[in-house]
Amino acid sequence: MYDFEITKPGSIADAAKALGGDDAQALGGGQTLIPTLKQRLASPTTLVSLAGLSEMVGICKDDDGRLCIGGATTHAAVAADGSYPGLSGLAAHIGDPAVRNRGTIGGSLANNDPSACYPAAALGSGATIVTNAREIAADDYFKGLFETALEEGEIITEVKFPVPEKSNYQKFVQPASRFALVGVFVAKYADGVRVAVTGASEEGVHRWTAAEEALNANFSADAIAGLDAPSGDGMINDLHGSGEYRAHLVKVMTGRAVAAAA
Amino acid sequence: MPKDEGIGASSKRREDLRFLTGKGKYTDDINLQGQAYAYFIRSDVAHGKINSIDTSAAEKMPGVEQIFTAKDFEGVGGVPCGWQVTDRHGEPMQEPKHPVLAEGKVRHVGDPIAVVVADSLAEARDAAEAVEIDITELEPVLNMKDALKDGATKVHDDLTSNLCYDWGFVEENRDAVDEAIKGAHHVTTLELKNNRLVANPMEPRVAVAEYDGSTDDYTLYTTSQNPHVIRLLMGAFVLGIPEHKLRVVAPDVGGGFGAKIYHYAEEAFCTFAAKQVGRPVKWTSSRSEAFMSDAHGRDHVTKIELAMDKDGKFLAIRTDTHANMGAYLSTFAPSIPTWLHGTLMAGNYTTPLIYVNVKAVFTNTVPVDAYRGAGRPEATFQLERVVDKAAREMGIDPIELRRRNFITEFPYATPVAVEYDTGDYHATMDKLLEMSDHAGFEKRAEESKKNGKLRGFGIAHYIEACGIAPSNLVGQLGARAGLYESATVRVNATGSISVMTGSHSHGQGHETSFAQVVADMIGVDEAQIDIVHGDTSKVPMGMGTYGSRSIAVGGSAMVRATEKIINKAKKIAAHLMEASEGDIELKDGAFTVAGTDKSVAWGDVTLAAYVPHNYPLEDIEPGLEETAFYDPANFTYPSGAYGCEVEVDPETGKVTVLGFSAADDFGNIINPMIVEGQVHGGLAQGIGQALVENCAYDENGQLLSGSYMDYTMPRADDLPMFKVDHSSITPCTHNPLGVKGCGEAGAIGSPPALVSAVVDALQRGGHTNVTHIDMPLTPDRVWAAMNS
């Protein structure tokens, strides 16, 4: 890696200030950024560590019953929480124990890797991404591969998840990285079902609206079985699977998520 | 010697204490006073013309000692190839120059162009970014069949084509095989690929070299399976250093799997540069570099035809293989698709006529060489897969079809020039069927069906040829090396023993199993014996470890040296007891005079050898140290029956390996626990090849699987609990221990068993059009086959 400075601010305000510097870069759990630095693919002047910000760590419920997770909360902590089973189940299968003990929800959502798991949960839950500057609805947050609505220097301080009646995440792993080749998050709320797909599309995480409509009418795996798989056009086509295969898996994993939803 | 030691005991691996507690001493642990660090600038294009290299700015960067390019290597030899294959027309193969650093052209992604040597690795990397290299990209040569077409772009402009050789074996059988196939009752044809693999030892390659100007001595520490071979190749052919001035040390080595046999440019570079810059030079491969510079394995494209009579009796086999050599010839590359592949094509069967054609092709990819099994997995895979397909086409059970064609009388001379000394293929098949509860399979398949899954069972029988030899034969076949092994047994004055072996252990457990043999022969405790290996200044010239040769060849040399020790010790004992030498017996570490109660302990004899006050000096020299070189009379031929049981998820194509059973015949066993471990490792790598591993290039010659994000290594949860048995023993007839070798078997026998199991599952699920799927059987490929 190249030389860089590292700063460990004591508050969100100080962190935001530090991120205003030239070529400053926020460092969450470092599960993507550190390998990128080691390969000399990034050269920030200053890393601003968010890991020590206690005000960004922890899980609680707000007055609306939403599960509020601090941006610097690790996957392991979310996995252990259990009050939103679909979300905890997802967190429990990200990477391996080392990743889960370092990686954070804010870091994952800010990075928005097209094969990451958390974006599916956030979009599939209609979560609210809270930053040091504003609140962003998940539907407005994800903008494509590694692209989000975050402005330069903006920090994800918290993510608020409405807790559904039923939910489940099904991940079909890419065999080498064990990221999602296709991951589908299904959440059934009183006002409707949301289905979010990660890993599959060249546009990144997205909702499968045809499945949502079918499930609003009939929340059962049969409702998915009767659907055509989404089109393979625009799906990722690589060493590990064609677009057509990914599209097929979207349907299979959606059906399984519905069947397993609890 | 305690009763739970010696040959046949599962002595615990003594080396594991240091390996498992972080006390192993690997090459990267060696840091020499004042060392500089080398950073290799490698080609990022598959094929290109180097127009210019400007190092002027980089040379002024902090910490830079010197920057090397091809012009610094004028007058230095290229990296040599150790095996010359003669083609079907009697002509030698085409052999391109392999410069240490690229001269004029780059020929694969990862081809080294320049090296920065600096005070620190970070400074070397910084300076490397300031080196300006101008390359004009050329069309990459990637597809082997296209590469052989007229007018194809050439990887090497000074060769006549991209064809390294067109090999026919046995050429005299060619017409007879054609005739037999023409007239046969049925011919089963199968076209398949044997996927390219990256060896991925846990420890990447490292080289540290130093030069002492006051004595003109060089020392190279390197991650090698065979330090003497490196000393010979690098000293004699690359750098012109006489052997007495060059010491090569391969200390603890963290896995090799073939990829650490070869002499690599980086080793030669560090040795050369250490003298040039006047300080030790160290290079440690990153994992990314390993993917693009360690020799790859396999990469064959094959068509095989099997001709049968109406009863399924095999009449003839004809194969046509394109074997990828990559951009240059790695040390033993030409021998893999030929002498280690064609000679195995009879398998376990009595097929009377066989013809193997192999076209070796240069492409703009990383050089390909031996990887665990080396040629034998490629032979076994195509043969066992075509037999499986033939069984289906003939309507004969695949087990029955194999049994009808098994060789049952030994020695057996195959039509592909080798003679199997022993074996019992029905015995391993019987054992396998028992271990795998084959009788209960149909019931299990029904259970799977109820759960919406497809269950299948696949079987493979393999023959291996280990301990490739004798040297005079391999010399005729083109080897530029001997394939003997050496050992020195040094008995110390108080009776402890140091064994210097030419074999090299990089995970196999030689320090334990070799000690068991000597302990057993003499009757002393294993703890009295140390095994020394991996240092050309300590051990006699040896050929190292690969091809499952260590116990069969290296072990035999050690036995011969120990026999010499025992013979001499008996003379000493006879003198001490004033008895006739012919009456002396060695038992449980003591010498006795037959029929008397006279006895002297081992330690009394060894002390007498070094304190020869009462000693037959007029007859024998003092001391107790003997060396033997052992050149085997033949290969050894391990064999076995492997069974794989899988379940396929028809919705996703995902294959789950539910069970894997291996019934091997390794001849006599020295340490059953170590043998079992070797089989486990081989099975993991074979299942890895069949299920997940794939080294892939895109159409521009970029490595798609250049990291663990895209190259899948098998993990514990990809593998079932293995059932391993090696109780079917037919001892080798021509080596003193009756051993055959076990290191590669698992990787050889498992891929066809797994693929046949998946095909069986799909066939049972009604996908009767699926007769083969190319490895690896990833979910997308299986799903695509089901939906084709």
Side-chain angles (χ1 to χ4, degrees), chain A residues 51-102:
Chain A
L53 295 174
S54 55
E55 54 189 310
M56 276 172 53
V57 176
I59 302 171
C60 64
K61 281 208 173 157
D62 69 5
D63 295 343
D64 299 329
R66 291 185 294 182
L67 193 67
C68 302
I69 303 174
T73 306
T74 63
H75 311 331
V78 177
D81 180 69
S83 52
Y84 181 171
L87 183 65
S88 290
L90 173 147
H93 293 94
I94 298 173
D96 58 15
V99 169
R100 292 194 288 276
N101 284 324
R102 296 293 299 182

Side-chain angles (χ1 to χ4, degrees), chain A residues 2 40 176 178 245 248 256, chain B residues 126 129 649 651-652 715:
Chain A
Y2 296 108
R40 294 192 161 201
R178 298 205 173 173
Y245 180 60
H248 167 76
R256 290 183 183 183
Chain B
D126 288 345
E129 290 178 12
D649 178 347
E651 286 191 321
T652 63
R715 301 181 211 188

